[in-house]
Amino acid sequence: MKKSSSVASDMGSVSSTATDSPEYRSYRVRKSKTIGMINWTHVFTTYIPHMTVIGIGVLIALICKQVVTELVDTNGQPLSPFSPQTLITIVSAIHGLVMRQVDSILSLRKEALFSPAVETCFLVLVIMAIILKMDNPTYLLSFATFKAPQEWKVSHEQIIEMMKNYKCFDDEPDKAPFTQESLDFMARLLARSGTGQSTAWPPGIVQTLEGKRPDRSIDGSRKEAEIILFDIVENALKKAKLEPKDIDVLVINCSLFSPTPSLCAAVITKFQMRPDIFSYNLSGMGCGASLLALDLAKNMLQRRKFGGRALVVSTEIITPNLYTGNERAFLLQNTLFRCGGAAMVISNKWMDGSRAWFKLLHTIRVQNNSEDGYQCVFECEDSEGYRGVRLSKEIVKVAGKTMEKNLTMLGPLVLPWSEQAKVAFSIVKKIFGKKVLGKKFGVYVPDFKRGVDHFCIHAGGRAVIDGIEKNMKLEKYHTEPSRMALLNYGNTSSSSIWYELEYIMEEQKNNPLRKGDRVLQVAFGSGFKCTSGVWLRL
């Protein structure tokens, strides 16, 4: 993922800022504390599938050794190696030994036919199988993000030019919908947005730069959707080394574009997936829908007796959703959102763990049920009747409260006991401090850097990233993936967190991804909701 060279002089290098800034603080943890923070249960269960295969091999070897030893002792002479007769003799002896052991168990005899080593190995395998069944892991086999063709990419200046050229009124074909005041306002928003000078818009809107009328038709919208979806699905399956018929569950989330037939139907038909595939199309879930879709796919896989594989696709379609009015509460969507998408292949087949990229540890979702939360991201019509998404001034406060509840639920799952104890002590001090000492005490904000190595914060805008960085006391390199995804791709809605994870895996140098690292993804969505997921790098 390369930085846009045209904005390098304005934005500067985030990587260099992270290391050269006087505010930068090197974050180090002593080795003893690092070991203490490891969740050994997850480490153990991650490698149980490999240990089980080895254990089965050891069990078979021990049984064969016992049988061969007994045959040699009985016959008084060694067996001929690699002889078909020898193999038949050993197999027959093993079969007889197993049947006698079964008969011994059913008859409640105390006689032990197998050696203590064989019985101990068998008992260990049974225990490992029980633990593996209880763990029910979910693995990320691969993911792919959409890389728009060069003809889709435009600069800030070209975006404003598109708005000037946007002719959408049939009764006044030469009249642009936006006033000069609205164009100036959008230009100011673009300058402060943190988006770069080479982000993607759909061809139906980009063609206005050539003097053509915009294409907001259903065919134009489907064209954008199919180009994005088919590209990322093909690449994700290729990376996972799977065929379309290997997919058991398909979940696609797209908030604002929900055609009939569904986007799921388009993907199933294009790739000729199985007719018995379980498919689900989610809409209206906003920018936090990717982890919701992934959680749905995970739950569907867990219902399958022998496990399975799921394909989760996250995108947003821009073509039919450009706001053409002049109310400022609606204009932000025209300057922030860009084309993008991501497809993820997950599996709960335990044998897939050996080739998986990540293991899913936790998913947490919090739904705000207040009226302010419901109204803060709201699709409706403005006073002139133009449809768009209205963003409320309360969105920052609502997002902060919802994220606080989400992290409160997530904290006990990822934070070491030392951080949890500090939170509990601060709550007690707050409750009794005022009564006993007459002082007010705040609640301790836990240091999530103690339990998480990398952060993928939804690239909802520069102000969102700045606020989370400050409140969670993150370092510059922790928010670097979010800033670079916003710079290079803009806000791609629910797929943003996957562009950030891709940056961590392929580009980030000052906080490289290592095996055993934990990655936290956090995203917000209309409704209002906050979703989070924690991944373990395998």
Side-chain angles (χ1 to χ4, degrees), residues 60 63-68 70-71 79 83-100 114:
I60 295 174
I63 293 175
C64 291
K65 179 183 177 183
Q66 178 180 334
V67 169
V68 170
E70 291 178 355
L71 289 175
L79 299 174
S83 169
Q85 185 61 38
T86 299
L87 181 62
I88 294 174
T89 303
I90 293 175
V91 171
S92 300
I94 292 175
H95 178 266
L97 198 61
V98 171
M99 295 307 298
R100 287 165 57 197
F114 283 108

Side-chain angles (χ1 to χ4, degrees), residues 28-40 453:
R28 296 289 184 270
V29 181
R30 294 200 306 272
K31 185 176 181 180
S32 59
K33 287 190 175 183
T34 304
I35 294 175
M37 289 190 296
I38 295 175
N39 189 326
W40 291 105
D453 304 286

Side-chain angles (χ1 to χ4, degrees), residues 418-489:
S418 58
E419 288 297 307
Q420 297 185 50
K422 291 178 182 178
V423 175
F425 178 72
S426 69
I427 294 175
V428 173
K429 189 165 63 172
K430 180 180 180 180
I431 295 174
F432 296 100
K434 187 175 181 180
K435 296 180 180 179
V436 179
L437 302 176
K439 296 182 180 179
K440 291 184 178 181
F441 295 93
V443 177
Y444 173 74
V445 178
D447 185 1
F448 275 85
K449 300 189 295 294
R450 299 287 179 183
V452 176
D453 304 286
H454 305 271
F455 296 81
C456 296
I457 301 163
H458 171 57
R462 191 175 66 181
V464 173
I465 301 171
D466 289 343
I468 295 176
E469 178 184 271
K470 179 180 178 181
N471 292 332
M472 294 185 68
K473 300 177 182 178
L474 302 179
E475 302 294 342
K476 295 293 185 184
Y477 58 78
H478 287 131
T479 56
E480 179 182 330
S482 301
R483 297 186 191 280
M484 296 310 297
L486 184 64
L487 176 70
N488 291 318
Y489 299 101

Side-chain angles (χ1 to χ4, degrees), residues 154-171:
V154 292
S155 64
H156 289 180
E157 183 180 352
Q158 288 174 313
I159 293 174
I160 298 301
E161 188 66 25
M162 287 191 305
M163 303 302 169
K164 289 180 180 179
N165 297 344
Y166 201 93
K167 308 292 193 283
C168 59
F169 302 104
D170 292 332
D171 55 341

Side-chain angles (χ1 to χ4, degrees), residues 142-146 225-244 247 250 267-268 270-271 273 311-313 341-345:
S142 70
F143 72 91
T145 59
F146 177 68
E226 290 174 354
I227 291 174
I228 294 174
L229 295 180
F230 296 166
D231 176 78
I232 57 180
V233 168
E234 181 180 359
N235 288 332
L237 291 175
K238 187 181 298 183
K239 290 181 180 180
K241 299 179 180 179
L242 295 175
E243 296 296 326
I247 300 300
L250 172 65
V267 171
I268 292 171
K270 168 67 176 179
F271 292 94
M273 293 181 168
L311 176 65
V312 181
V313 183
M344 295 70 68
V345 179

